[in-house]
Amino acid sequence: MNILVDAMGGDNAPYAIVKGCVDAMNERDGFSVTFIGDEEQIREVLSKEKYDSGRVTIKHTTQIVMNEDVPTKAVREKKDSSMVVGFRMLKAGEGDVFVSAGSSGGLLVGATTIVKRLKNIDRPCLGSVLPTKNGRMILVDSGLNISCPPERYVNYARLGSAYMKALFGTEKPTVGLVNVGSEEEKGPDAIKEANALFKESSLNYIGYLEGKDVFECKADVIVTDGFTGNVMLKLIEGTAKFMFSEIKNVLYTNLKTKIGALFLKKDLYRFKDKMDPDLNGGAPILGVNGLVIKTHGSSNAKTVKHVIIKACDLASSSFLEDIRLNFEQL
């Protein structure tokens, strides 16, 4: 298995990207990495790391798709960028999965114009894994499409359900639609129309969900537009960081609390791992004819390491083929 990695995408590239990939290789066997980007900068990072050189190749590129670039123009004109070259290599079968922390807009345009959409998919979406009281859920769309028509919510749910099955083996995932209330008459027209379409579909639909229901494990797949989903995702990440910081301050207040912290240490670390965005980072672009994983632009080496491991798991599963067959039958 070969993982294609955009070494120049993200705020902390190339160090965090390359370092995270090396850490993943040192923890797990069975895959190689192709770094795509400025070879001199990549080798500078690699020179300070211990790794199996036989598992690493470098594809030199001279350009970078920046966040401030107009996505369509950047993908069209920056043909020697690490992102565009990565998409072309994935399309040509030179890798099993492409991972990038680069521009979300650039990734959406590149995925749809180079890798192409699956049959019966009009717009791909991001599927993010989030913790719940009793396990995990999938949030779709978590950031690619600011708004969407009613029928697109149903497609997002189908994509999220296939992802849930691939990751966790859930055969008939429950689906909930994010709204401002649980009553039928509440919400904008697009949400009400989507609700009606869900009821007519074959999905395991349970109805509206409010923000307070997200962590209660009421649904396996939470469906919303990319604007709302991205706000939810970043609010959850920010809340988790704030909460852990405050808990730490409380536990180190005095000698008594420090002694209590010793007894709670194992359970607190388990809780932290469950909520840690670095361990749960990385979201596939669902609905394209290839495995593309987006990790957030501020990803550090720890995040990248876990994203690479997730990429290996997805590439080893029948996830992409299941989605393809599902939508071809619609």
Side-chain angles (χ1 to χ4, degrees):
M1 181 190 303
N2 185 35
I3 299 179
L4 307 170
V5 178
D6 176 3
M8 311 310 291
D11 303 336
N12 302 313
Y15 173 76
I17 308 299
V18 177
K19 169 67 173 169
C21 289
V22 169
D23 289 345
M25 284 189 290
N26 288 337
E27 183 170 308
R28 179 177 289 196
D29 296 323
F31 71 93
S32 59
V33 172
T34 297
F35 291 111
I36 307 165
D38 185 287
E39 184 169 2
E40 183 178 349
Q41 293 186 51
I42 294 168
R43 289 201 182 280
E44 184 179 353
V45 179
L46 288 173
S47 67
K48 301 171 185 176
E49 301 293 329
K50 292 182 179 180
Y51 66 99
D52 181 356
S53 59
R55 296 172 64 185
V56 172
T57 55
I58 299 173
K59 175 69 174 178
H60 178 66
T61 59
T62 59
Q63 296 174 301
I64 303 172
V65 174
M66 308 297 290
N67 285 329
E68 57 267 26
D69 288 337
V70 177
T72 50
K73 184 178 180 182
V75 171
R76 184 174 64 249
E77 297 181 358
K78 291 188 173 182
K79 298 187 183 300
D80 197 42
S81 65
S82 52
M83 183 182 292
V84 172
V85 171
F87 278 127
R88 293 187 188 282
M89 291 177 71
L90 182 67
K91 176 73 173 178
E94 297 176 51
D96 299 282
V97 52
F98 176 50
V99 177
S100 176
S103 158
S104 295
L107 284 169
L108 175 60
V109 172
T112 53
T113 61
I114 299 173
V115 182
K116 305 296 185 182
R117 294 185 294 266
L118 291 172
K119 185 178 180 180
N120 295 322
I121 295 290
D122 64 334
R123 294 278 285 190
C125 64
L126 277 179
S128 295
V129 178
L130 293 174
T132 65
K133 186 164 62 176
N134 298 320
R136 289 286 188 269
M137 66 178 178
I138 307 293
L139 175 67
V140 287
D141 178 17
S142 59
L144 277 192
N145 305 284
I146 297 302
S147 60
C148 56
E151 61 274 9
R152 198 174 290 163
Y153 289 98
V154 180
N155 272 355
Y156 291 169
R158 293 188 188 280
L159 290 167
S161 295
Y163 186 29
M164 189 75 191
K165 180 181 178 181
L167 275 186
F168 305 113
T170 308
E171 285 298 327
K172 193 71 173 175
T174 51
V175 175
L177 179 62
V178 175
N179 198 3
V180 294
S182 58
E183 298 84 358
E184 290 287 315
E185 68 276 7
K186 284 194 173 181
D189 290 341
I191 294 295
K192 293 177 184 176
E193 291 176 38
N195 181 52
L197 292 174
F198 270 115
K199 290 179 178 179
E200 296 172 1
S201 74
S202 59
L203 291 160
N204 190 9
Y205 181 58
I206 64 168
Y208 291 142
L209 291 178
E210 298 179 69
K212 64 183 177 63
D213 299 323
V214 169
F215 291 112
E216 291 298 315
C217 205
K218 291 189 176 182
D220 299 309
V221 179
I222 310 291
V223 184
T224 187
D225 60 82
F227 178 87
T228 305
N230 195 254
V231 170
M232 290 173 64
L233 187 65
K234 290 179 178 176
L235 178 61
I236 291 166
E237 290 178 358
T239 302
K241 289 179 180 178
F242 170 75
M243 184 174 61
F244 291 132
S245 175
E246 290 300 298
I247 290 174
K248 185 176 180 180
N249 289 338
V250 169
L251 292 175
Y252 285 87
T253 301
N254 53 50
L255 179 60
K256 184 169 68 174
T257 58
K258 288 178 182 178
I259 293 172
L262 289 174
F263 291 100
L264 294 171
K265 186 176 180 179
K266 185 182 293 186
D267 292 325
L268 286 173
Y269 273 117
R270 190 182 299 117
F271 176 56
K272 184 178 184 297
D273 287 346
K274 185 174 183 179
M275 296 294 293
D276 191 346
D278 290 332
L279 301 183
N280 297 297
I285 298 182
L286 303 171
V288 294
N289 196 27
L291 191 48
V292 180
I293 296 183
K294 165 81 169 81
T295 182
H296 57 77
S298 60
S299 293
N300 56 32
K302 180 182 176 183
T303 309
V304 174
K305 169 189 167 183
H306 289 281
V307 169
I308 295 299
I309 291 172
K310 179 184 287 184
C312 289
D313 291 338
L314 281 177
S316 300
S317 74
S318 61
F319 155 70
L320 191 61
E321 187 60 29
D322 289 346
I323 290 179
R324 185 182 291 115
L325 290 173
N326 189 2
F327 278 85
E328 284 178 354
Q329 292 168 3
L330 290 178

